[in-house]
Amino acid sequence: MRKAGWAALVFLAAAVGLGFLTLPVVALFTRVPPGELVRLLGNPVVRDAIVVSLKTTLIAQVLILLFGTPLAYLLATRRFPGRQVLVTLVELPLVLPPAVAGIGLLAALGRFGLLGSTLDAFGLRIGFTQTAVVLAVAFVAGPFYVRTAIASFEGVDPNLVAASRTLGAGPARTFFRVALPLAGSGLAAGEALAFARGLGEFGATIMFAGSLQGVTQTLPLAIYAQFEADFDVAVAMGALLVVVSFALLLSLKLVFGWQPSQRTSHSVFARTS
Amino acid sequence: MKTVAAAAVIVIVLASGGVASGSSKATVSVYAAASLTDAFPKIAPGAKYSFAGSNTLAAQIRLGAPADVFASANMTLPEQLYKDKRCSKPVVFTRNRLTVIVPKSNPANINSVYDLRKHGIRLVIAGPTVPVGSYTLQVLRNMNLTGVLANVVSRETDVREVLAKIALGEGDAGFVYSTDAKTVPGKVRTLKIPAWAQPKVQYGICVVSASSNKAAARAFVKRVIGPAGQKILVRYGFLPRVKPKAPH
């Protein structure tokens, strides 16, 4: 009896949680007939926003993988004083309000910022360019990848790495042939999160890069701009972003076999968080 | 679908139980144009304010935002709300002028409105649906300068965002109200727009129809239109709501 009551309670709480998290998403689609989504692709504002969003997010992801992976690997495999502080610093953008991220980027890379004046001297102008969008996305989304990547590298059995080294493989070969494949599914999971977060980035972008159609206006910025101009177009764009994000997350899960069954069978792959 | 909706209702009820209900009877909730950010709290310090682009505020009111008063940087938006029976008949409560601002250091060496034609300068304006954005387009049309739109690097969501981008030195020049330029005198330099090119910048105020606080809302409007409110607005550089008669 108490068991049944407990089960009902858990079920009810789960239903409330599920309902709350899915209702706004479902509501988007009740306002947009499916045909509208297709028609929307003909709207130049929407098309430009999709192109800008995909381009900047993809470039940002390349940067995140290129610089985030070594960073995560070192932080996962080395022990040194102050490591926890460093890891916390790297994770900080996760919890910073995007507005703070925007101000920070302006203070660092703005025209009169810490590095900005030096960059300006080299003729590198970041403000109001797609570079600014890429940097804002990389800053805000990067920690999602790095954080997961640290945990994945930490989950790699050090005995396997040691075995690889004693069998004569150099550190680079060991990294590419042992550590990277073993951490792979965790890295993919982190990358999927970073990609999705990057697509949704808004606050830091609008502060640091501004908003101009075809240049810096990403989908979220276009949604905001359309909110008061044409609410239905804004809703439709929102639905579009939901479809893209959902497809992205789901396909990454399917492709990389990011399922609980595998998690329990191969403990090495399991530590993704 | 129904279960989902019911579940969401439960969460909302729980959430609102934890937070003290925001609408206390006495305080009036004022949705006002971003350019009024400094002046309005001086007129009525007790009111609650939401400052943003007037267009954004109008959209929020249409979606049921709990506003009592809507103070817009143009007459078009409140008149549209009035036509749709969402607010009372708007009245003009102040007027303003547009100005061009450049960062104090003036990195692009812009010394007149016509210098905005310089190739490759970073011009920041507000979006076309924001009142100040549409006034900006009017000025450029009046001065036959629409070509400078090629220099626009960002279309911001309200006038204070334009101001911030120029005050920071990120942009080379921007269009704002003269009252906004006055709020950061140490950071920006203003370039005058000739009187003949000025658009008719009239601010409209109305009481939101859905307000449950209409008496307080009307009192607020009265205060803004009255001598006390007008005095404060003029002190912040706004123009009196009625144009003084030309002396001739």
Side-chain angles (χ1 to χ4, degrees), chain A residues 15-16 19-20 22-23 26 30 106 110-112 120 125 127-128 206-212 216 224-225 227-229 231, chain B residues 1 4-5 7-8 10-11 55-56 59-60 63 105 107 120 122 124 129 152-157 165 168-172:
Chain A
V16 170
F20 178 65
T22 50
L23 189 74
V26 172
T30 59
L106 278 171
R111 195 193 230 168
F112 298 103
D120 213 52
R125 291 177 149 199
F128 305 116
I206 204 165
M207 293 184 83
F208 184 47
S211 175
L212 190 68
T216 53
Y224 188 71
F227 163 67
E228 29 77 17
F231 188 64
Chain B
M1 185 59 217
V4 169
I10 294 176
V11 177
N55 50 328
T56 304
Q60 287 172 347
L63 292 171
S105 60
R122 293 188 254 187
V124 180
T129 53
V152 169
V153 292
S154 184
R155 294 179 188 262
E156 302 289 328
T157 54
K165 292 265 172 18
L168 268 172
E170 292 300 316
D172 293 324

Side-chain angles (χ1 to χ4, degrees), chain B residues 31-239:
Chain B
Y31 280 37
S35 46
L36 298 161
T37 303
D38 302 283
F40 259 23
K42 291 284 183 312
I43 294 177
K48 283 184 305 180
Y49 294 98
S50 172
F51 294 107
S54 305
N55 50 328
T56 304
L57 298 172
Q60 287 172 347
I61 289 169
R62 276 179 197 282
L63 292 171
D68 298 315
V69 176
F70 176 43
S72 169
N74 63 14
M75 288 300 285
T76 327
L77 288 164
E79 263 160 11
Q80 278 165 0
L81 286 178
Y82 170 63
K83 228 176 2 185
D84 298 339
K85 301 200 165 52
R86 289 181 183 271
C87 86
S88 64
K89 191 167 172 49
V91 293
V92 176
F93 69 93
T94 194
R95 293 174 303 120
N96 213 339
R97 285 188 209 97
L98 247 65
T99 187
V100 172
I101 50 169
V102 296
K104 201 91 202 178
S105 60
N106 201 357
N109 195 24
I110 294 164
N111 298 304
S112 90
V113 182
Y114 292 96
D115 284 348
L116 297 178
R117 289 179 297 192
K118 280 188 190 175
H119 182 70
I121 66 147
R122 293 188 254 187
L123 180 61
V124 180
I125 64 176
T129 53
V130 186
V132 71
S134 84
Y135 294 139
T136 301
L137 297 180
Q138 279 181 47
V139 169
L140 292 176
R141 272 198 299 271
N142 291 349
M143 299 185 77
N144 218 352
L145 280 174
T146 46
V148 309
L149 290 174
N151 284 331
V152 169
V153 292
S154 184
R155 294 179 188 262
E156 302 289 328
T157 54
D158 69 54
V159 67
R160 290 300 168 103
E161 298 293 325
V162 179
L163 184 71
K165 292 265 172 18
I166 304 305
L168 268 172
E170 292 300 316
D172 293 324
F175 279 84
V176 297
Y177 299 113
S178 58
T179 49
D180 298 296
K182 286 195 174 85
T183 61
V184 285
K187 292 187 171 160
V188 299
R189 193 180 299 172
T190 63
L191 306 175
K192 228 176 165 172
I193 293 169
W196 57 265
Q198 286 283 350
K200 193 171 160 192
V201 182
Q202 289 185 320
Y203 284 55
I205 195 165
C206 63
V207 173
V208 178
S209 308
S211 162
S212 56
N213 212 358
K214 286 215 177 83
R218 278 190 212 103
F220 180 89
V221 173
K222 219 170 154 184
R223 190 168 167 77
V224 171
I225 300 173
Q230 291 294 303
K231 206 172 137 191
I232 290 169
L233 283 166
V234 168
R235 199 201 301 152
Y236 279 87
F238 289 89
L239 302 172

Side-chain angles (χ1 to χ4, degrees), chain A residues 136-164:
Chain A
V137 170
F139 182 76
V140 171
F144 281 84
Y145 172 73
V146 174
R147 188 172 186 272
T148 320
I150 292 174
S152 310
F153 283 127
E154 279 176 341
V156 173
D157 187 348
N159 291 324
L160 293 175
V161 176
S164 164

